[in-house]
Short mmCIF file of all heavy atoms in Angstrom, two decimals:
data_model
loop_
_atom_site.label_atom_id
_atom_site.label_comp_id
_atom_site.label_asym_id
_atom_site.label_seq_id
_atom_site.Cartn_x
_atom_site.Cartn_y
_atom_site.Cartn_z
N ILE A 330 4.26 -7.51 9.82
CA ILE A 330 4.25 -7.84 11.23
C ILE A 330 2.84 -7.57 11.78
O ILE A 330 2.26 -8.41 12.54
CB ILE A 330 5.23 -6.92 12.04
CG1 ILE A 330 6.67 -7.21 11.65
CG2 ILE A 330 5.09 -7.05 13.56
CD1 ILE A 330 7.78 -6.22 12.17
N VAL A 331 2.25 -6.49 11.47
CA VAL A 331 0.88 -6.15 11.95
C VAL A 331 -0.19 -7.17 11.44
O VAL A 331 -1.04 -7.64 12.16
CB VAL A 331 0.51 -4.76 11.49
CG1 VAL A 331 -0.98 -4.45 11.88
CG2 VAL A 331 1.44 -3.69 12.20
N GLU A 332 -0.02 -7.55 10.11
CA GLU A 332 -0.95 -8.53 9.61
C GLU A 332 -0.87 -9.89 10.31
O GLU A 332 -1.89 -10.48 10.65
CB GLU A 332 -0.69 -8.73 8.12
CG GLU A 332 -1.18 -7.58 7.25
CD GLU A 332 -0.79 -7.83 5.77
OE1 GLU A 332 -0.33 -8.88 5.43
OE2 GLU A 332 -0.96 -6.85 4.98
N GLN A 333 0.41 -10.32 10.60
CA GLN A 333 0.61 -11.55 11.30
C GLN A 333 -0.04 -11.47 12.74
O GLN A 333 -0.61 -12.45 13.27
CB GLN A 333 2.05 -11.88 11.33
CG GLN A 333 2.62 -12.32 10.06
CD GLN A 333 4.18 -12.38 10.07
OE1 GLN A 333 4.78 -12.41 11.12
NE2 GLN A 333 4.80 -12.41 8.88
N ARG A 334 0.17 -10.33 13.36
CA ARG A 334 -0.33 -10.14 14.74
C ARG A 334 -1.89 -10.20 14.73
O ARG A 334 -2.50 -10.77 15.57
CB ARG A 334 0.12 -8.82 15.27
CG ARG A 334 -0.31 -8.51 16.68
CD ARG A 334 0.61 -7.65 17.44
NE ARG A 334 1.92 -8.14 17.58
CZ ARG A 334 2.93 -7.60 18.32
NH1 ARG A 334 2.63 -6.44 18.98
NH2 ARG A 334 4.05 -8.17 18.44
N LEU A 335 -2.54 -9.54 13.72
CA LEU A 335 -3.99 -9.54 13.65
C LEU A 335 -4.51 -10.96 13.42
O LEU A 335 -5.51 -11.34 14.03
CB LEU A 335 -4.41 -8.61 12.56
CG LEU A 335 -4.34 -7.11 12.81
CD1 LEU A 335 -4.58 -6.30 11.55
CD2 LEU A 335 -5.17 -6.65 13.93
N GLU A 336 -3.80 -11.71 12.58
CA GLU A 336 -4.23 -13.11 12.29
C GLU A 336 -4.11 -13.92 13.58
O GLU A 336 -4.93 -14.77 13.92
CB GLU A 336 -3.38 -13.70 11.20
CG GLU A 336 -3.75 -13.10 9.84
CD GLU A 336 -2.84 -13.65 8.72
OE1 GLU A 336 -2.05 -14.56 9.00
OE2 GLU A 336 -2.96 -13.14 7.56
N ALA A 337 -3.05 -13.67 14.33
CA ALA A 337 -2.77 -14.48 15.57
C ALA A 337 -3.85 -14.22 16.57
O ALA A 337 -4.37 -15.04 17.34
CB ALA A 337 -1.37 -14.18 16.11
N LEU A 338 -4.28 -12.90 16.65
CA LEU A 338 -5.34 -12.49 17.62
C LEU A 338 -6.78 -12.83 17.13
O LEU A 338 -7.74 -12.70 17.88
CB LEU A 338 -5.21 -11.01 17.88
CG LEU A 338 -3.98 -10.50 18.61
CD1 LEU A 338 -3.92 -8.94 18.63
CD2 LEU A 338 -3.92 -11.04 20.01
N GLU A 339 -6.81 -13.20 15.79
CA GLU A 339 -8.12 -13.48 15.19
C GLU A 339 -9.02 -12.29 15.34
O GLU A 339 -10.27 -12.47 15.58
CB GLU A 339 -8.78 -14.74 15.72
CG GLU A 339 -7.93 -16.03 15.45
CD GLU A 339 -8.65 -17.23 16.00
OE1 GLU A 339 -9.61 -17.14 16.70
OE2 GLU A 339 -8.13 -18.38 15.68
N GLU A 340 -8.46 -11.08 15.22
CA GLU A 340 -9.27 -9.87 15.37
C GLU A 340 -9.93 -9.50 14.02
O GLU A 340 -9.21 -9.54 13.00
CB GLU A 340 -8.41 -8.72 15.86
CG GLU A 340 -9.19 -7.46 16.08
CD GLU A 340 -8.41 -6.34 16.64
OE1 GLU A 340 -7.24 -6.54 17.05
OE2 GLU A 340 -8.93 -5.24 16.70
N LYS A 341 -11.12 -9.20 14.04
CA LYS A 341 -11.85 -8.72 12.86
C LYS A 341 -11.53 -7.28 12.62
O LYS A 341 -11.56 -6.43 13.47
CB LYS A 341 -13.39 -8.90 13.02
CG LYS A 341 -14.20 -8.55 11.77
CD LYS A 341 -15.64 -8.78 11.98
CE LYS A 341 -16.42 -8.46 10.76
NZ LYS A 341 -17.88 -8.61 10.90
N VAL A 342 -11.12 -6.98 11.36
CA VAL A 342 -10.76 -5.67 10.96
C VAL A 342 -11.86 -5.05 10.10
O VAL A 342 -12.24 -5.68 9.12
CB VAL A 342 -9.41 -5.59 10.26
CG1 VAL A 342 -9.12 -4.18 9.70
CG2 VAL A 342 -8.30 -6.15 11.15
N ARG A 343 -12.38 -3.89 10.52
CA ARG A 343 -13.37 -3.20 9.65
C ARG A 343 -12.70 -2.71 8.39
O ARG A 343 -11.67 -2.08 8.49
CB ARG A 343 -14.06 -2.09 10.43
CG ARG A 343 -15.03 -2.63 11.41
CD ARG A 343 -15.95 -1.44 11.91
NE ARG A 343 -16.67 -0.88 10.79
CZ ARG A 343 -17.38 0.24 10.85
NH1 ARG A 343 -17.42 0.95 11.98
NH2 ARG A 343 -18.05 0.69 9.79
N THR A 344 -13.40 -2.86 7.26
CA THR A 344 -12.78 -2.37 6.00
C THR A 344 -13.56 -1.16 5.52
O THR A 344 -13.25 -0.57 4.48
CB THR A 344 -12.96 -3.46 4.90
OG1 THR A 344 -14.26 -3.88 4.79
CG2 THR A 344 -12.09 -4.65 5.30
N THR A 345 -14.59 -0.68 6.26
CA THR A 345 -15.33 0.59 5.96
C THR A 345 -15.41 1.40 7.24
O THR A 345 -15.17 0.86 8.31
CB THR A 345 -16.74 0.36 5.39
OG1 THR A 345 -17.52 -0.15 6.45
CG2 THR A 345 -16.70 -0.67 4.21
N GLU A 346 -15.83 2.64 7.05
CA GLU A 346 -16.02 3.50 8.28
C GLU A 346 -17.45 3.89 8.46
O GLU A 346 -17.75 4.86 9.14
CB GLU A 346 -15.11 4.74 8.12
CG GLU A 346 -13.63 4.44 8.03
CD GLU A 346 -12.81 5.73 7.96
OE1 GLU A 346 -13.38 6.87 7.97
OE2 GLU A 346 -11.55 5.61 7.83
N THR A 347 -18.34 3.11 7.90
CA THR A 347 -19.79 3.45 7.95
C THR A 347 -20.27 3.44 9.43
O THR A 347 -19.96 2.54 10.19
CB THR A 347 -20.64 2.44 7.21
OG1 THR A 347 -20.09 2.36 5.81
CG2 THR A 347 -22.08 2.76 7.18
N GLN A 348 -20.88 4.52 9.74
CA GLN A 348 -21.37 4.69 11.13
C GLN A 348 -22.82 4.27 11.32
O GLN A 348 -23.17 3.74 12.42
CB GLN A 348 -21.24 6.17 11.54
CG GLN A 348 -19.77 6.66 11.55
CD GLN A 348 -19.67 8.16 11.48
OE1 GLN A 348 -20.52 8.81 10.96
NE2 GLN A 348 -18.67 8.73 12.12
N VAL A 349 -23.62 4.49 10.31
CA VAL A 349 -25.08 4.15 10.44
C VAL A 349 -25.56 3.49 9.17
O VAL A 349 -25.20 3.92 8.08
CB VAL A 349 -25.89 5.48 10.69
CG1 VAL A 349 -27.32 5.10 10.92
CG2 VAL A 349 -25.31 6.24 11.92
N LEU A 350 -26.40 2.49 9.36
CA LEU A 350 -27.16 1.94 8.15
C LEU A 350 -28.59 2.43 8.30
O LEU A 350 -29.27 2.20 9.28
CB LEU A 350 -27.06 0.39 8.16
CG LEU A 350 -27.80 -0.24 7.02
CD1 LEU A 350 -26.98 -0.18 5.76
CD2 LEU A 350 -28.30 -1.66 7.27
N VAL A 351 -29.08 2.98 7.21
CA VAL A 351 -30.50 3.38 7.18
C VAL A 351 -31.31 2.15 6.68
O VAL A 351 -31.09 1.67 5.56
CB VAL A 351 -30.67 4.55 6.26
CG1 VAL A 351 -32.17 4.87 6.05
CG2 VAL A 351 -29.94 5.77 6.78
N ALA A 352 -32.21 1.70 7.47
CA ALA A 352 -32.99 0.46 7.21
C ALA A 352 -34.50 0.74 7.33
O ALA A 352 -34.93 1.78 7.89
CB ALA A 352 -32.63 -0.57 8.23
N SER A 353 -35.29 -0.06 6.69
CA SER A 353 -36.73 0.03 6.75
C SER A 353 -37.31 -1.23 7.30
O SER A 353 -36.81 -2.40 7.01
CB SER A 353 -37.27 0.39 5.40
OG SER A 353 -36.95 -0.59 4.41
N ALA A 354 -38.43 -1.15 7.94
CA ALA A 354 -39.05 -2.31 8.49
C ALA A 354 -40.21 -2.85 7.70
O ALA A 354 -40.69 -3.99 7.87
CB ALA A 354 -39.61 -1.94 9.98
N GLN A 355 -40.64 -2.04 6.74
CA GLN A 355 -41.78 -2.51 5.83
C GLN A 355 -41.40 -2.20 4.38
O GLN A 355 -40.32 -1.64 4.06
CB GLN A 355 -43.02 -1.69 6.18
CG GLN A 355 -43.79 -2.20 7.39
CD GLN A 355 -43.43 -1.37 8.61
OE1 GLN A 355 -43.15 -0.21 8.43
NE2 GLN A 355 -43.48 -1.92 9.81
N LYS A 356 -42.21 -2.63 3.49
CA LYS A 356 -41.96 -2.40 2.04
C LYS A 356 -42.36 -1.02 1.62
O LYS A 356 -42.98 -0.29 2.41
CB LYS A 356 -42.79 -3.42 1.27
CG LYS A 356 -42.37 -4.94 1.45
CD LYS A 356 -43.21 -5.85 0.58
CE LYS A 356 -42.73 -7.32 0.69
NZ LYS A 356 -43.48 -8.20 -0.12
N LYS A 357 -41.94 -0.64 0.40
CA LYS A 357 -42.31 0.61 -0.21
C LYS A 357 -41.86 1.84 0.58
O LYS A 357 -42.59 2.83 0.68
CB LYS A 357 -43.87 0.64 -0.42
CG LYS A 357 -44.39 -0.43 -1.35
CD LYS A 357 -45.85 -0.33 -1.52
CE LYS A 357 -46.39 -1.45 -2.47
NZ LYS A 357 -47.82 -1.33 -2.70
N LEU A 358 -40.66 1.72 1.21
CA LEU A 358 -40.14 2.85 1.90
C LEU A 358 -38.78 3.25 1.37
O LEU A 358 -37.95 3.89 2.04
CB LEU A 358 -39.96 2.51 3.35
CG LEU A 358 -41.27 2.33 4.19
CD1 LEU A 358 -41.02 1.85 5.56
CD2 LEU A 358 -42.10 3.61 4.23
N LEU A 359 -38.51 2.91 0.06
CA LEU A 359 -37.19 3.28 -0.55
C LEU A 359 -37.05 4.79 -0.52
O LEU A 359 -35.97 5.30 -0.18
CB LEU A 359 -37.10 2.72 -1.95
CG LEU A 359 -35.88 3.16 -2.76
CD1 LEU A 359 -34.63 2.69 -2.04
CD2 LEU A 359 -35.92 2.62 -4.19
N GLU A 360 -38.08 5.53 -0.92
CA GLU A 360 -37.86 6.99 -1.01
C GLU A 360 -37.60 7.62 0.40
O GLU A 360 -36.79 8.52 0.43
CB GLU A 360 -39.19 7.56 -1.54
CG GLU A 360 -39.07 9.07 -1.82
CD GLU A 360 -40.35 9.62 -2.43
OE1 GLU A 360 -41.19 8.86 -2.94
OE2 GLU A 360 -40.54 10.88 -2.39
N GLU A 361 -38.21 7.06 1.44
CA GLU A 361 -37.98 7.57 2.76
C GLU A 361 -36.53 7.22 3.23
O GLU A 361 -35.89 8.07 3.86
CB GLU A 361 -38.98 7.00 3.78
CG GLU A 361 -40.39 7.45 3.52
CD GLU A 361 -40.53 8.97 3.70
OE1 GLU A 361 -39.78 9.50 4.54
OE2 GLU A 361 -41.43 9.55 3.03
N ARG A 362 -36.07 6.06 2.85
CA ARG A 362 -34.67 5.64 3.19
C ARG A 362 -33.73 6.61 2.48
O ARG A 362 -32.74 7.03 3.09
CB ARG A 362 -34.42 4.22 2.79
CG ARG A 362 -35.04 3.20 3.77
CD ARG A 362 -34.46 1.78 3.54
NE ARG A 362 -34.90 1.31 2.21
CZ ARG A 362 -34.09 0.67 1.40
NH1 ARG A 362 -32.80 0.44 1.73
NH2 ARG A 362 -34.54 0.15 0.20
N LEU A 363 -33.99 6.92 1.21
CA LEU A 363 -33.10 7.77 0.45
C LEU A 363 -33.08 9.18 1.07
O LEU A 363 -32.04 9.83 1.10
CB LEU A 363 -33.56 7.80 -1.05
CG LEU A 363 -33.29 6.53 -1.83
CD1 LEU A 363 -33.95 6.62 -3.21
CD2 LEU A 363 -31.82 6.32 -1.98
N LYS A 364 -34.24 9.65 1.49
CA LYS A 364 -34.26 10.98 2.14
C LYS A 364 -33.42 11.02 3.38
O LYS A 364 -32.68 11.96 3.61
CB LYS A 364 -35.74 11.32 2.43
CG LYS A 364 -36.62 11.77 1.31
CD LYS A 364 -38.02 12.10 1.84
CE LYS A 364 -38.99 12.49 0.68
NZ LYS A 364 -40.34 12.74 1.14
N LEU A 365 -33.59 10.01 4.20
CA LEU A 365 -32.88 9.99 5.47
C LEU A 365 -31.38 9.84 5.29
O LEU A 365 -30.61 10.55 5.87
CB LEU A 365 -33.43 8.85 6.39
CG LEU A 365 -32.74 8.75 7.74
CD1 LEU A 365 -32.83 10.06 8.52
CD2 LEU A 365 -33.32 7.58 8.57
N VAL A 366 -30.97 8.93 4.39
CA VAL A 366 -29.54 8.78 4.18
C VAL A 366 -28.95 10.07 3.57
O VAL A 366 -27.78 10.36 3.91
CB VAL A 366 -29.24 7.50 3.30
CG1 VAL A 366 -29.52 7.77 1.80
CG2 VAL A 366 -27.79 7.00 3.51
N SER A 367 -29.66 10.71 2.77
CA SER A 367 -29.21 11.96 2.18
C SER A 367 -28.99 13.02 3.26
O SER A 367 -28.02 13.79 3.23
CB SER A 367 -30.17 12.49 1.09
OG SER A 367 -29.70 13.72 0.56
N GLU A 368 -29.94 13.08 4.21
CA GLU A 368 -29.79 14.03 5.38
C GLU A 368 -28.54 13.74 6.16
O GLU A 368 -27.82 14.63 6.60
CB GLU A 368 -31.04 13.96 6.20
CG GLU A 368 -32.29 14.60 5.55
CD GLU A 368 -33.56 14.38 6.38
OE1 GLU A 368 -33.43 14.09 7.55
OE2 GLU A 368 -34.65 14.52 5.86
N LEU A 369 -28.27 12.47 6.39
CA LEU A 369 -27.14 11.99 7.16
C LEU A 369 -25.83 12.32 6.46
O LEU A 369 -24.89 12.82 7.03
CB LEU A 369 -27.17 10.52 7.43
CG LEU A 369 -28.34 10.03 8.37
CD1 LEU A 369 -28.37 8.55 8.47
CD2 LEU A 369 -28.22 10.70 9.72
N TRP A 370 -25.74 12.10 5.16
CA TRP A 370 -24.57 12.47 4.38
C TRP A 370 -24.34 14.03 4.41
O TRP A 370 -23.21 14.42 4.59
CB TRP A 370 -24.77 12.04 2.90
CG TRP A 370 -24.68 10.55 2.67
CD1 TRP A 370 -24.05 9.63 3.38
CD2 TRP A 370 -25.28 9.80 1.56
NE1 TRP A 370 -24.19 8.41 2.93
CE2 TRP A 370 -24.97 8.47 1.76
CE3 TRP A 370 -26.09 10.20 0.49
CZ2 TRP A 370 -25.43 7.44 0.90
CZ3 TRP A 370 -26.51 9.20 -0.32
CH2 TRP A 370 -26.20 7.83 -0.19
N ASP A 371 -25.40 14.73 4.26
CA ASP A 371 -25.30 16.24 4.31
C ASP A 371 -24.79 16.67 5.71
O ASP A 371 -24.10 17.73 5.79
CB ASP A 371 -26.63 16.89 3.98
CG ASP A 371 -27.03 16.70 2.52
OD1 ASP A 371 -26.15 16.38 1.75
OD2 ASP A 371 -28.23 16.88 2.25
N ALA A 372 -25.15 15.88 6.73
CA ALA A 372 -24.67 16.21 8.11
C ALA A 372 -23.27 15.76 8.42
O ALA A 372 -22.75 15.93 9.54
CB ALA A 372 -25.63 15.61 9.11
N GLY A 373 -22.63 15.11 7.40
CA GLY A 373 -21.22 14.58 7.58
C GLY A 373 -21.14 13.28 8.22
O GLY A 373 -20.08 12.92 8.71
#
Side-chain angles (χ1 to χ4, degrees):
I330 296 170
V331 174
E332 284 177 11
Q333 291 171 13
R334 180 157 297 189
L335 287 172
E336 288 178 6
L338 294 173
E339 296 183 351
E340 182 176 352
K341 184 177 180 180
V342 176
R343 284 195 61 189
T344 57
T345 70
E346 297 183 3
T347 305
Q348 297 162 327
V349 183
L350 180 80
V351 174
S353 57
Q355 285 98 25
K356 295 181 179 181
K357 299 180 180 180
L358 291 175
L359 174 60
E360 186 176 344
E361 294 297 330
R362 285 192 293 137
L363 289 171
K364 283 181 183 177
L365 179 56
V366 78
S367 182
E368 290 175 15
L369 294 175
W370 288 333
D371 292 342

